[in-house]
Amino acid sequence: MTSFAPDSIVLNRKLPLWYQVSQSLRASILGRSPQEPLRLPTEEQLAGHYGVSVLTMRQALKELEDEGLITRHRRRGTFIEPHARRGSPVRLLGSVDAIVAQQSGMTTELLDHGSVPVPGELTEFFPDVRQVSAYHRLRSDEKTGEPTNHARNYVRPELAARIGLDDLVRWPMTKVLRDVVGADISRITDTVEARLADPETAKLLHVPLLSPILHYTGVTYDAAGRPLDVAVIHYRGDRFSFTVTLDAT
């Protein structure tokens, strides 16, 4: 039986290897086409593919099994679960590839875009510009069509001039900045707060007014420490959880 072929990544030795591998494999699984095989390569083959130990690979697979994306059968192998629910945790640990994986398995609609004055609460991130390019997108579960989150990105105007709208429908802003624009991303800071759904969020996400949501703010910096993009995302509280993983080493 032909096995599913996951994407490759460059591992960051400052982050737990099992976590990076699990996020990369998760993105590959959620982004697979229906025609691709459901069976994964063996643990040994996957470990060789990612350049990690079998023990590390086993820990990464356990993460995906706990999430319900794969099932493991003694003597038969490991298989992608095609009908797994695509809700996911909001994780404050990872690389750019982990951020990309967070939005995999969703469809994206660009609601509006244009040049706007820097919002008052974001002036600390854009002290040298008066206008930024704003993009508002709605993301939905690709199988059910159920809305899961809506995001506003505020991007420096010189970078926005090189962003294609079609790319924003296909990929998260982080990937567009890195792989399309060629921005030198050095770090991303994440903040998550519990809030109540305002009228706009309640309408877009199909939830009751004042129901719990997760309010996420992510700031992307270049190597010089200059903010390139600020993302403000509202996640449905019944579809996402907040998870922090601390490395004790």
Side-chain angles (χ1 to χ4, degrees), residues 227-240:
L228 305 176
D229 162 58
V230 178
V232 179
I233 307 176
H234 289 166
Y235 292 94
R236 281 183 55 154
D238 61 341
R239 290 293 306 274
F240 290 85

Side-chain angles (χ1 to χ4, degrees), residues 111-210:
L111 299 178
D112 58 65
H113 69 282
S115 180
V116 301
V118 176
E121 67 273 19
L122 303 183
T123 54
E124 64 177 295
F125 302 114
F126 301 106
D128 58 331
V129 296
R130 293 189 177 185
Q131 299 278 127
V132 289
S133 293
Y135 303 89
H136 188 197
R137 291 174 293 170
L138 177 67
R139 298 189 181 98
S140 304
D141 185 288
E142 65 180 6
K143 280 184 166 291
T144 66
E146 180 183 50
T148 59
N149 67 86
H150 75 99
R152 280 189 169 89
N153 287 84
Y154 300 92
V155 183
R156 296 186 66 87
E158 67 271 22
L159 299 178
R162 287 140 55 191
I163 293 175
L165 298 182
D166 289 343
D167 292 331
L168 288 178
V169 174
R170 297 174 57 195
W171 297 312
M173 179 64 78
T174 308
K175 180 175 176 64
V176 173
L177 289 174
R178 183 190 66 176
D179 298 343
V180 178
V181 175
D184 183 11
I185 297 175
S186 64
R187 63 188 173 95
I188 300 172
T189 62
D190 300 317
T191 304
V192 177
E193 306 172 63
R195 292 196 180 180
L196 301 178
D198 57 30
E200 179 190 41
T201 296
K203 181 178 179 180
L204 286 172
L205 300 187
H206 300 176
V207 297
L209 183 65
L210 302 181

